[in-house]
Amino acid sequence: MKTVFVTVGTTSFDELSNTITCPESVQALKARGCERLVLQVGRGSVVPAADSCPQVKLEVFRFKDSIAEDMKQADLIVSHAGAGSCLEALGAGKPLLVVVNDKLMDNHQLELARQLHIDSHCFYCTCSTLTDTLRTMDLSVLQPYVPGQPKHFANFLDKALGVQKR
């Protein structure tokens, strides 16, 4: 796993930026073979310096017109639990770790992440369990999400978000 791409989408999720770049998380990534960490920080106030993670090459940016190339180059995608980011990561066919922002009120993100995990498409955690999840997750058990079926995804979202009965 040479490249890990982390995205917070268009939101601010400083806790994820801080946690993924803390020495313990970087060591867990390094133990998995990570050499390059690409971090998209969105509107966050935390913008780690390139030299703040000396064990890996750190690249940080706020926004790009498209993050498709970053996802394509990644060996692992770590994403906030926004539906758009999750769908784009799953569509890229890469292993996905979803980090739920448990500080949000009315946290629908947990429901989405949990359902994707139940269907074996990703792992999920919170910032407080991120480092342990990085150390212990077995990416070989993940099943690909079959893209190109928007009706299935829409039904899945309705079910995950409680709009449709299970």
Side-chain angles (χ1 to χ4, degrees):
M1 170 186 320
K2 293 189 180 218
T3 299
V4 174
F5 176 60
V6 181
T7 179
V8 302
T10 59
T11 66
S12 173
F13 194 0
D14 289 341
E15 187 179 9
L16 176 54
S17 298
N18 279 328
T19 305
I20 197 74
T21 58
C22 79
E24 296 81 11
S25 291
V26 172
Q27 183 57 41
L29 290 169
K30 187 76 174 164
R32 287 186 164 270
C34 177
E35 299 172 1
R36 180 172 168 248
L37 180 60
V38 180
L39 177 59
Q40 183 262 328
V41 297
R43 294 181 313 203
S45 59
V46 172
V47 183
D51 61 354
S52 63
C53 298
Q55 296 178 315
V56 298
K57 180 181 180 191
L58 177 64
E59 300 169 26
V60 180
F61 67 93
R62 286 194 181 278
F63 299 105
K64 289 183 180 177
D65 289 339
S66 172
I67 58 173
E69 189 60 31
D70 295 291
M71 289 190 172
K72 181 180 173 185
Q73 292 179 8
D75 298 297
L76 171 67
I77 298 171
V78 178
S79 176
H80 76 122
S85 294
C86 289
L87 181 59
E88 189 170 0
L90 291 171
K94 302 294 180 157
L96 174 63
L97 171 59
V98 176
V99 182
V100 176
N101 185 348
D102 58 358
K103 307 291 190 278
L104 295 178
M105 293 178 56
D106 188 28
N107 193 354
H108 64 277
Q109 290 188 352
L110 178 59
E111 295 169 16
L112 175 61
R114 184 180 292 135
Q115 187 63 52
L116 288 171
H117 177 71
I118 288 169
D119 294 340
S120 299
H121 297 308
C122 74
F123 286 96
Y124 76 98
C125 63
T126 61
C127 286
S128 62
T129 59
L130 176 60
T131 301
D132 285 337
T133 304
L134 288 170
R135 288 183 185 132
T136 61
M137 64 184 178
D138 178 3
L139 299 177
S140 71
V141 303
L142 295 179
Q143 300 296 312
Y145 179 81
V146 180
Q149 299 178 0
K151 182 173 170 106
H152 290 287
F153 189 74
N155 289 339
F156 162 77
L157 278 179
D158 287 346
K159 183 175 152 186
L161 299 175
V163 177
Q164 180 183 60
K165 290 187 178 180
R166 296 176 190 243

